[in-house]
Amino acid sequence: MKRLFAALPLLTGMYLFPPVQAQAQTVFHLTLKDHHFEPDHLSVPAGERFIIELENQDSTTDELESYDMKFEKIIVPGSKIRVHAGPLHPGQYTFFDDYHPDQAKGTVTAEAKP
């Protein structure tokens, strides 16, 4: 009987606070080839989380990094990684390959909805 009373707050909480549905995040695809991002520019909706999926077609280890969007992830040759980003305020943000910063660089523009 004590177990029933102990579980009662948990059971009533399920009805007072129903589970929140996760919002699907848009995936933006990038390729790293010859130490360049393809495409080198992405347009994303401001105020929403999104995912950048990067495929490394180079024969070297690279790194997807952004000071503006606060991520840094190493990617080995022939693999794919995913980075969760946002939500961003409207504006332009940069990303680059920290191992080849003069060659591999790109931008993300967060656009406000009309």
Side-chain angles (χ1 to χ4, degrees), residues 26-31 37-46 50-55 64 66 69 71 83-85 88-96 105-111:
T26 304
V27 178
F28 295 89
H29 300 275
L30 288 178
T31 302
F37 291 106
E38 296 175 12
D40 64 356
H41 180 78
L42 300 173
S43 294
V44 302
F50 59 95
I51 297 170
I52 297 174
E53 183 176 84
L54 175 64
E55 179 181 357
L64 178 60
S66 174
M69 295 180 280
F71 58 73
V83 175
H84 294 262
L88 301 174
H89 294 289
Q92 194 162 21
Y93 302 82
T94 61
F95 60 91
F96 58 96
K105 48 190 163 188
T107 57
V108 170
T109 301
E111 299 175 344

Side-chain angles (χ1 to χ4, degrees), residues 39-99:
D40 64 356
H41 180 78
L42 300 173
S43 294
V44 302
E48 294 182 19
R49 291 190 52 76
F50 59 95
I51 297 170
I52 297 174
E53 183 176 84
L54 175 64
E55 179 181 357
N56 185 359
Q57 294 182 357
D58 281 341
S59 60
T60 60
T61 298
D62 296 300
E63 183 176 44
L64 178 60
E65 185 168 352
S66 174
Y67 299 135
D68 299 337
M69 295 180 280
K70 297 178 178 51
F71 58 73
E72 176 180 23
K73 198 150 187 181
I74 293 174
I75 181 169
V76 296
S79 68
K80 288 183 183 180
I81 60 167
R82 284 184 155 210
V83 175
H84 294 262
L88 301 174
H89 294 289
Q92 194 162 21
Y93 302 82
T94 61
F95 60 91
F96 58 96
D97 171 8
D98 199 25
Y99 296 140

